[in-house]
Amino acid sequence: MGQLITMTDSGLQVPDRPLIPFIEGDGTGPDIWAAAVRIFDAAVEQAYGGKRAVAWTEVLAGQKAFDRTGSWLPDATEQAFRDHLIGIKGPLTTPVGGGIRSLNVALRQRLELYVCLRPVKYYAGVPSPVRRPELVDMVVFRENTEDVYAGFEVAAGSTEADKLLRFLKDELGWDVRTDSGIGIKPISRTGTERLVRAAIDYAIEHDRRSVTLVHKGNIQKFTEGAFREWGYQVAAEHYPDHTVTWDDIDNEVPAGKILIKDAIADIFLQQVLTRPAEFDVVATMNLNGDYISDALAAQVGGIGIAPGANINYKTGHAVFEATHGTAPKYAGKNVINPSSVVLSGVMMFEYLGWTEAARLIDGALTRTIGERYVTYDFARLMDRATQVTTSDFADRIIAHLRAAGDA
């Protein structure tokens, strides 16, 4: 029987047999979850010799939940994540028509998971469209609760749009075309500060070199521009002994200091292609983070191998997730690459403090890909690859992690 993970003043308290809810996901979700959970259990057994184990409990969301309960996101599922603090999930269907516009967004907002954490690094042998993918090693902190995802919209020609247009013209003097749809985009000091603090804390803890604030503040001065200014203020007020800016130094960052800098979003997307080694930890807003995370993932092999986490560092709540879609046409065919959810599990174990299990999985995955023993998505782009099924790929990872643990 598993035990609850708890959050105390001293941090996350993880029992030896934590009870962790999972959502297997829609489409190919069951295929990749079946492979991933075998890898997770094997790594924990190998790392701790039976002294630790995860007690998994399934909760429902997405199509499976709707088919069984009539709800895309049952209250019991949300409550399970609240009670157990930590969870992991596969890809979910986005309901078409009314209701929740995104199950992933709903979970993030309801649990106040204000950081979307996306580490991006290259695994040797993975097919990449860029010349030097090994130079990509970044961690993206994407603000998860604001911006257009928490915004408001009115449709062009609607009564609400007409009222808003009149108000904007009469009260603010703004002249907007009358056939416009209109959206409101909130960016708060509160949301910015807690995100940037999380990014700097991560950089300090993991000996990272810099934190780059990515924004479009040259155009959106009071939302994205404010994000930039508030970010610099956080560093100056709360981390004066750990951080510097370009204004503080000549050309070289002093040893032991983290450089706080900023980049306009469009320039940043160019520079991560031309000189990716100049970027380390990235802090940005919700919409920018969405684009940036997927663009960086493409440089190192695509979102099929990109892990993700949604975290509230204050309460301890965290949901780890595959970052790709459900790919329903491949469902049940045992062909999909499970690496996204597998590496999300690596992040989960690191968050729990079970770093030995995390390292075993990461190393075994690295060796498996390095052998060119891969699923079809990689095999079709690799020379001399051995194309294998999802379950065979998991078997090879398990064999490698057991060999490494016995070495």
Side-chain angles (χ1 to χ4, degrees):
M1 188 68 179
Q3 299 169 290
L4 288 178
I5 299 168
T6 57
M7 187 67 170
T8 69
D9 291 341
S10 58
L12 210 61
Q13 302 299 305
V14 182
D16 286 339
R17 283 170 171 74
L19 186 61
I20 296 180
F22 71 91
I23 299 169
E24 65 176 5
D26 295 324
T28 57
D31 290 354
I32 62 174
W33 175 254
V37 73
R38 290 196 297 114
I39 294 169
F40 300 156
D41 289 342
V44 172
E45 171 65 29
Q46 186 66 46
Y48 307 112
K51 294 179 180 178
R52 290 177 176 175
V54 175
W56 303 103
T57 179
E58 183 178 9
V59 294
L60 301 178
Q63 189 67 53
K64 188 174 183 179
F66 186 78
D67 292 343
R68 293 190 182 182
T69 71
S71 171
W72 292 97
L73 184 59
D75 292 341
T77 296
E78 182 182 337
Q79 193 60 48
F81 283 124
R82 289 189 186 279
D83 293 342
H84 296 85
L85 293 187
I86 309 300
I88 188 167
K89 56 177 283 296
L92 292 176
T93 298
T94 296
V96 176
I100 298 170
R101 38 179 186 183
S102 167
L103 295 170
N104 294 324
V105 172
L107 277 172
R108 293 166 190 167
Q109 292 179 344
R110 292 179 185 180
L111 297 174
E112 198 70 9
L113 304 174
Y114 60 87
V115 169
C116 179
L117 185 64
R118 293 280 296 272
V120 186
K121 71 173 184 177
Y122 180 65
Y123 286 83
V126 172
S128 168
V130 299
R131 183 175 298 173
R132 299 288 304 278
E134 71 277 5
L135 297 180
V136 178
D137 184 5
M138 302 179 212
V139 182
V140 178
F141 279 73
R142 169 188 171 191
E143 203 292 317
N144 225 2
T145 63
E146 298 187 332
D147 206 346
V148 295
Y149 295 81
F152 301 90
E153 291 185 310
V154 291
S158 65
T159 301
E160 295 82 3
D162 291 342
K163 288 180 180 178
L164 186 53
L165 286 165
R166 284 197 299 273
F167 174 82
L168 294 175
K169 185 170 182 62
D170 295 345
E171 300 297 326
L172 299 176
W174 294 2
D175 193 8
V176 181
R177 288 192 181 98
T178 57
D179 59 350
S180 297
I182 302 172
I184 295 175
K185 162 184 171 162
I187 302 291
S188 73
R189 180 188 288 269
T190 298
T192 298
E193 289 183 347
R194 66 186 183 181
L195 176 88
V196 174
R197 291 195 69 161
I200 297 175
D201 286 340
Y202 181 96
I204 293 170
E205 182 179 350
H206 293 84
D207 297 319
R208 293 281 183 159
R209 306 178 314 277
S210 68
V211 175
T212 304
L213 308 169
V214 180
H215 61 91
K216 193 64 179 171
N218 56 328
I219 303 299
Q220 301 172 62
K221 299 184 184 302
F222 302 117
T223 51
E224 304 216 3
F227 173 88
R228 173 188 181 275
E229 295 305 316
W230 292 330
Y232 277 118
Q233 289 172 18
V234 165
E237 293 172 10
H238 298 284
Y239 302 92
D241 296 332
H242 292 92
T243 63
V244 293
T245 68
W246 284 127
D247 291 338
D248 301 324
I249 58 177
D250 293 325
N251 291 312
E252 189 170 338
V253 180
K257 296 285 188 177
I258 295 165
L259 177 65
I260 308 298
K261 56 182 178 174
D262 72 279
I264 295 171
D266 50 320
I267 298 172
F268 173 82
L269 286 169
Q270 172 185 258
Q271 291 178 337
V272 294
L273 288 170
T274 58
R275 44 182 197 260
E278 294 184 9
F279 299 99
D280 199 337
V281 176
V282 176
T284 190
M285 288 148 292
N286 211 336
L287 185 59
N288 289 338
D290 197 356
Y291 300 150
I292 287 167
S293 296
D294 283 4
L296 289 175
Q299 292 182 233
V300 296
I303 58 174
I305 197 171
N310 303 282
I311 301 173
N312 183 320
Y313 286 100
K314 299 180 184 297
T315 66
H317 287 94
V319 178
F320 299 83
E321 63 180 355
T323 60
H324 54 73
T326 58
K329 72 177 182 178
Y330 296 109
K333 295 182 179 179
N334 194 29
V335 297
I336 289 294
N337 187 342
S339 296
S340 179
V341 74
V342 169
L343 289 171
S344 296
V346 170
M347 294 177 68
M348 182 187 72
F349 286 128
E350 289 173 342
Y351 187 73
L352 294 175
W354 292 15
T355 54
E356 297 86 357
R359 288 171 185 156
L360 280 176
I361 298 170
D362 189 78
L365 178 67
T366 300
R367 285 188 287 277
T368 301
I369 293 173
E371 293 175 333
R372 302 173 184 264
Y373 192 88
V374 291
T375 49
Y376 86 97
D377 56 323
F378 286 174
R380 62 185 175 175
L381 300 173
M382 285 178 163
D383 294 330
R384 303 182 307 281
T386 300
Q387 181 174 323
V388 299
T389 65
T390 307
S391 53
D392 286 340
F393 185 68
D395 288 342
R396 183 62 66 99
I397 292 172
I398 291 169
H400 278 307
L401 67 85
R402 284 177 174 161
D406 291 338

